[in-house]
Amino acid sequence: MLNLILKDNRSLLSLNRENIKWIDPIELSKIVPNFRLCYLNLSSSFCMNYSVFQYFNLQNVQTLILQQCHWIDKNIWNMIVCDCKKIEEINLTGCWTLDQSDVQALFEKHGSTLKIVSLENIFSMSDVTISTIAQHSKKLKILNLKGCWRITDNGLKMLSNIRTLNRLYLDLCYKTSLLGYRKLIDSG
């Protein structure tokens, strides 16, 4: 089916391959010449290795959804950080293999463009990561940190420096307190 859709198509803007457990590299090779792809959803895909991901042209991708892609390897992550030059929204919910340094690299490179970020259930997130997020975010409006249980009230204090932030999700962040929430709200 994808063959019919992509045959000689150089203007595909959006690709949703959500819940596809196996992604065929040959099928994806037809996307290579597409430089206009700006929305890519590979949620819940099991086969997330470099041989598959290398076929995507990420330079114009603004929205990248990788929710529940548990096994993102370092080569793929480096490609995302380096090649997604226009990224505004990224959903990494449940991407367990990502660690603090991976998220820090994302914000150091793209903090000026990111508007919506979900880091839900990435258990390595801590105040160290929050410091980088707060330092590099220029346009961040929505941040999902649900289940990031290592974040403390000190991390919440750092988030108060992001003036564009208007929605923050902190469910199951067990090391935060009502006092931390109060200070965050009072700061602006």
Side-chain angles (χ1 to χ4, degrees):
M1 182 64 168
L2 193 60
N3 287 339
L4 293 173
I5 295 169
L6 296 176
K7 185 175 183 336
D8 298 322
N9 183 345
R10 303 292 184 260
S11 61
L12 183 70
L13 296 175
S14 177
L15 181 62
N16 186 345
R17 300 295 286 166
E18 184 176 5
N19 292 316
I20 302 298
K21 301 306 178 198
W22 176 259
I23 299 173
D24 181 7
I26 294 167
E27 186 179 279
L28 291 180
S29 68
K30 293 162 182 53
I31 300 171
V32 170
N34 190 332
F35 293 100
R36 297 188 63 205
L37 189 66
C38 54
Y39 175 91
L40 180 57
N41 185 346
L42 298 174
S43 294
S44 300
S45 298
F46 288 154
C47 184
M48 291 295 291
N49 59 40
Y50 188 75
S51 66
V52 170
F53 221 78
Q54 69 182 343
Y55 290 108
F56 290 107
N57 184 318
L58 301 173
Q59 70 183 14
N60 288 313
V61 171
Q62 296 171 347
T63 301
L64 181 60
I65 312 296
L66 298 175
Q67 183 173 343
Q68 304 307 332
C69 292
H70 304 299
W71 310 110
I72 297 175
D73 73 27
K74 293 294 180 186
N75 290 326
I76 292 173
W77 186 250
N78 291 335
M79 180 186 288
I80 291 168
V81 170
C82 291
D83 295 352
C84 288
K85 296 178 181 3
K86 297 183 179 180
I87 192 81
E88 294 180 1
E89 177 179 355
I90 190 163
N91 185 334
L92 300 169
T93 296
C95 294
W96 303 326
T97 56
L98 296 179
D99 60 28
Q100 289 190 120
S101 64
D102 296 324
V103 175
Q104 287 172 303
L106 175 71
F107 275 89
E108 287 166 357
K109 179 102 177 176
H110 301 291
S112 62
T113 60
L114 286 168
K115 295 178 181 177
I116 301 171
V117 176
S118 179
L119 303 172
E120 182 175 346
N121 292 330
I122 299 180
F123 305 123
S124 66
M125 296 301 99
S126 73
D127 292 348
V128 173
T129 317
I130 297 301
S131 175
T132 302
I133 292 171
Q135 181 181 359
H136 293 281
S137 294
K138 305 294 182 228
K139 297 180 180 179
L140 190 61
K141 294 180 180 182
I142 301 171
L143 180 59
N144 181 354
L145 297 171
K146 290 180 185 175
C148 297
W149 56 270
R150 296 174 193 241
I151 296 169
T152 69
D153 288 346
N154 190 41
L156 295 182
K157 183 179 177 184
M158 289 182 256
L159 289 174
S160 68
N161 295 325
I162 307 173
R163 294 295 171 205
T164 56
L165 190 62
N166 59 35
R167 205 170 313 156
L168 178 62
Y169 298 95
L170 294 166
D171 306 44
L172 305 175
C173 292
Y174 299 118
K175 293 187 177 181
T176 58
S177 70
L178 290 175
L179 181 62
Y181 296 143
R182 179 88 256 145
K183 287 181 180 177
L184 179 64
I185 291 167
D186 290 346
S187 69

